[in-house]
Amino acid sequence: MRITVCRKESFNAAHRLHNKNWSDEKNKAIFGLCNNPNYHGHNYELIVKVNGEIDPDTGYVIDMKILKAIIKEEVVQRFDHKNLNLDTVEFRDLNPTAENIAIVIWKRIKAKLKEDLSLTVVLYETPKNFVEFSEACL
Ligand code: NI
């Protein structure tokens, strides 16, 4: 039997959405408040979903202690209280939209999971705006 196990985490980070190939006017028109030159913060909420077969010996899909440690190491310690544009290599040349952040997080966690586990990442940038990325999107 396959089942999905989920874990919620959160992190706070600053960002600025900006396309350096565009004029300041166009950036402001497209990205609005998220183009503020001096950055601004979001309280990101992350839901990590891991789908797989239940191990008959443990009854687990994945030990939650292990999943918790992976999320802490790959996401929270890297991005919490950081300026995504300035403090991380991932977003130096990649616009830190919720879409791009979710894909970066998915790749980092995916690399740490056993191959037979499938992964979905849901990232809330605000309580009302969220994105989802999974193998199905590839
Ligand atoms: Ni923003």
Side-chain angles (χ1 to χ4, degrees), residues 16 22 24 43 56 61 108:
R16 182 193 189 200
W22 294 348
D24 288 349
N43 300 321
V61 170
R108 297 204 71 89

Side-chain angles (χ1 to χ4, degrees), residues 12 37 45 52 62-63 88 135:
N12 306 323
E45 294 281 339
I62 180 172
D63 187 330
T88 74
E135 278 91 355

Side-chain angles (χ1 to χ4, degrees), residues 6-61:
C6 308
R7 185 172 166 85
K8 271 174 95 169
E9 270 298 347
S10 60
F11 60 97
N12 306 323
H15 77 165
R16 182 193 189 200
L17 302 185
H18 186 80
N19 184 331
K20 61 180 187 289
N21 299 319
W22 294 348
S23 67
D24 288 349
E25 291 70 30
K26 184 168 181 182
N27 270 291
K28 216 175 201 177
I30 300 292
F31 296 125
L33 289 173
C34 277
N35 182 243
N36 179 37
N38 291 330
Y39 307 93
H40 63 277
H42 289 284
N43 300 321
Y44 291 97
E45 294 281 339
L46 176 68
I47 300 169
V48 174
K49 303 178 183 180
V50 178
N51 178 277
E53 287 285 339
I54 297 176
D55 180 327
D57 294 328
T58 60
Y60 291 161
V61 170

Side-chain angles (χ1 to χ4, degrees), residues 11 17 19 27 30 32 34 40 48-49 52 59 61 69 75 78 80 83 89-90 99 106 114-115 118 127 137:
F11 60 97
L17 302 185
N19 184 331
N27 270 291
I30 300 292
C34 277
H40 63 277
V48 174
K49 303 178 183 180
V61 170
V75 182
R78 302 186 76 86
D80 188 38
N83 179 313
V89 289
E90 288 86 352
E99 290 88 330
W106 185 91
K114 288 187 187 144
E115 259 181 33
S118 58
C137 300

